[in-house]
Amino acid sequence: MLTALTLIMGNASSIENSKVIFLEINGKLEKVVFSTHCSSRDIHELIAHAAGTNKHSVISLKDQQGAHVPLSPTIPVNTSGTPYKVFIQSPPTTNEDAAMFAQVITQVADQFSKVFKVEEMKMEINSRLSALERRLEVEGLKSVEIEKCKRDISDIKDQIWTAQKKFVDFNRMSAIVDTTKWCKKRYIASFQKYTLSQETIDYLKKPTFDIWHWEPNEMLSLLEHMYHDLELVQEFNINPITLKRWLLCVQENYRNNPFHNFRHCFCVTQMMYGMIHLCELWDRMSREDLGILLTAAICHDVDHPGYNNTYQINARTELAIRYNDMSPLENHHCAVAFQILSNPECNIFANIDKDTYKRVRAGITMLILATDMARHGEIMEGFKTKVVKFDYKSKEHMDTLKMVLIKCCDISNEVRPMEVSEPWVDCLLEEYFNQSDREKMEGLPVAPFMDRDKVTKPTSQIGFIKFVLIPMFETVAKLFPQTSDVMVKPLQEALERYEAMKIIDDKKSEDSKTT
């Protein structure tokens, strides 16, 4: 008797996509029809069904000569006179195996319970729930006088503001991001006091200052000197010990990035200090404004992670989410800066009144946010329209000037002599390459000027100097002509140097292609 079994998959119903084979199963002749699109497992289960055995059984086929035949869609077609013999080996299923499996499961469950202390955890959770229930009952019985609470809160705020000394346990302060730890309270003895020579004091005021020859503690002393020299210590009634603590804390919250590190912070601040002296800004703005400029320069990149805003937004990092993709890094720098200042031991603005503090905070925030290069065009267009007839008495005009000044200082490396500026290019490219490598690894877009396979030192600088730096500093020179020789001219020389370097690189590249 011939029994027919059909397995239909895909277009198996069409003749050209079907295959027919004949099998001998336990002395019975079976006809099997299946699609050429079937898998080997499908055919295996079909034959197991025809044989009335478990689908997990081991099934093998042999032809009339005793040769093994593959159990797959490529099996050769035969006839009813030459059926394949089916050999079946049932899977081992014993009570001993089931018992052993059950025993293993039991042991795993026992070990899981011991390791994670499930019973103890249950007891602790029940205990806490009971305590919370009791507390809710007690709190529910209390009546709250809303107006009295508001008055108490207002009084407490005033007391906190006027409190001059209050111990804060820095070890319990949590960082804004996981990778940062706020610096702990330190002894001021670790901040060595340096006696600055008159030569160093004069040199510190110049844009040509070489920032590579100074150790971290020396840079701290130079920053401290700037606050004293500009009379900011007197202006804000800063406790000298607090100034030292604040500088130490800011230093420790700069990360060890190739470019955006504490030396970059010092570099930007020194350029700001140099521009204040070069342009004699104390004749144009208040000491309060000078303090805002210098403090913003020091804090402008604090806790920079080494990956720019584009990466933060594309990678959907915690910072990008927190600040809704709007200048996430600059907003973070502001937050960290004022988190440090919120500690009374480091608050250099502790002795000023509320209104002054409000102006200082708004000014520092405005300047740090202005360092986002995404806002470069907007800020420079506003400055160009105002510089035609600049009004030093206008708050709007002065705010724009201060934003342009910190932007100039932030990207002023090429203003410095070549031996000082060129190492910064190497540092910046290293940080760029680190980011582009990570972006490639994470499948994110890569900017050409950051790709190590596409950018060179001259190509990274030529466009930036020509279209960003020179136009910006030339506009500043319209307001402060004394910056033309000191800043614009070195930028033009740097552009010529990199253009010559590019010609040499291009020639080497052409020569290597021809050889």
Side-chain angles (χ1 to χ4, degrees), residues 373-391:
M373 285 302 294
R375 297 184 57 201
H376 179 79
E378 161 211 337
I379 294 171
M380 287 309 302
E381 283 304 312
F383 185 60
K384 286 175 184 176
T385 59
K386 293 176 178 63
V387 81
V388 177
K389 192 175 181 181
F390 196 84
D391 183 4

Side-chain angles (χ1 to χ4, degrees), residues 30-242:
E30 298 279 0
K31 178 182 177 182
V32 178
V33 182
F34 59 88
S35 167
T36 55
H37 300 294
C38 292
S39 66
S40 298
R41 190 64 197 172
D42 294 328
I43 300 172
H44 181 282
E45 291 182 2
L46 180 65
I47 296 173
H49 176 71
T53 185
N54 192 303
K55 67 179 180 179
H56 299 294
S57 302
V58 179
I59 296 176
S60 59
L61 304 181
K62 291 185 180 180
D63 62 13
Q64 296 295 312
Q65 288 75 38
H68 286 277
V69 180
L71 195 60
S72 70
T74 60
I75 185 171
V77 176
N78 60 0
T79 65
S80 60
T82 58
Y84 297 131
K85 291 185 179 180
V86 179
F87 296 89
I88 300 171
Q89 183 179 351
S90 299
T93 55
T94 62
N95 293 333
E96 290 80 359
D97 290 341
M100 184 178 297
F101 182 74
Q103 184 179 0
V104 170
I105 291 296
T106 303
Q107 290 177 353
V108 169
D110 290 342
Q111 291 296 326
F112 184 90
S113 180
K114 289 178 181 178
V115 170
F116 292 98
K117 300 181 179 180
V118 175
E119 292 303 323
E120 292 87 336
M121 191 181 299
K122 285 181 180 178
M123 292 176 62
E124 184 179 353
I125 290 173
N126 288 332
S127 174
R128 289 186 178 182
L129 284 174
S130 299
L132 284 173
E133 287 173 356
R134 289 193 299 271
R135 182 176 174 182
L136 285 172
E137 290 174 2
V138 173
E139 292 294 334
L141 297 175
K142 295 181 179 179
S143 60
V144 181
E145 299 177 7
I146 302 298
E147 292 304 321
K148 183 177 182 301
C149 283
K150 286 182 178 179
R151 289 195 300 271
D152 291 344
I153 290 170
S154 179
D155 292 341
I156 290 170
K157 285 183 177 179
D158 289 338
Q159 291 173 19
I160 291 174
W161 183 265
T162 55
Q164 297 301 311
K165 292 183 179 180
K166 179 181 177 183
F167 176 74
V168 174
D169 185 359
F170 288 6
N171 296 319
R172 297 182 63 85
M173 291 178 69
S174 60
I176 290 180
V177 292
D178 294 340
T179 51
T180 302
K181 294 180 180 178
W182 299 110
C183 78
K184 301 175 183 178
K185 187 173 181 180
R186 294 172 56 174
Y187 293 107
I188 298 306
S190 63
F191 188 165
Q192 185 176 351
K193 178 66 178 176
Y194 292 89
T195 302
L196 305 180
S197 66
Q198 189 59 46
E199 181 183 5
T200 299
I201 291 172
D202 295 337
Y203 186 32
L204 187 62
K205 299 174 183 178
K206 300 183 182 299
T208 55
F209 186 84
D210 189 345
I211 47 81
W212 294 108
H213 294 162
W214 304 89
E215 296 300 323
N217 275 354
E218 294 173 325
M219 289 188 281
L220 288 170
S221 285
L222 292 173
L223 292 173
E224 183 186 13
H225 168 78
M226 295 176 193
Y227 274 80
H228 286 280
D229 179 59
L230 294 175
E231 299 178 3
L232 302 180
V233 173
Q234 297 91 324
E235 175 67 25
F236 298 107
N237 193 19
I238 301 174
N239 184 326
I241 301 299
T242 303

Side-chain angles (χ1 to χ4, degrees), residues 200-301:
T200 299
I201 291 172
D202 295 337
Y203 186 32
L204 187 62
K205 299 174 183 178
K206 300 183 182 299
T208 55
F209 186 84
D210 189 345
I211 47 81
W212 294 108
H213 294 162
W214 304 89
E215 296 300 323
N217 275 354
E218 294 173 325
M219 289 188 281
L220 288 170
S221 285
L222 292 173
L223 292 173
E224 183 186 13
H225 168 78
M226 295 176 193
Y227 274 80
H228 286 280
D229 179 59
L230 294 175
E231 299 178 3
L232 302 180
V233 173
Q234 297 91 324
E235 175 67 25
F236 298 107
N237 193 19
I238 301 174
N239 184 326
I241 301 299
T242 303
L243 177 61
K244 292 175 182 289
R245 284 204 189 97
W246 175 70
L247 289 170
L248 278 168
C249 195
V250 170
Q251 180 195 45
E252 291 199 4
N253 280 281
Y254 269 90
R255 303 195 200 182
N256 191 27
N257 298 316
F259 184 89
H260 290 100
N261 49 42
F262 182 68
R263 192 172 295 276
H264 168 68
C265 150
F266 175 73
C267 185
V268 173
T269 309
Q270 187 277 322
M271 183 61 73
M272 179 66 77
Y273 180 69
M275 290 193 76
I276 289 172
H277 280 278
L278 179 64
C279 304
E280 298 180 347
L281 292 180
W282 50 80
D283 290 337
R284 303 292 186 177
M285 58 182 68
S286 66
R287 295 284 167 178
E288 180 181 305
D289 284 334
L290 297 183
I292 290 171
L293 284 170
L294 207 66
T295 306
I298 290 175
C299 298
H300 83 284
D301 271 332

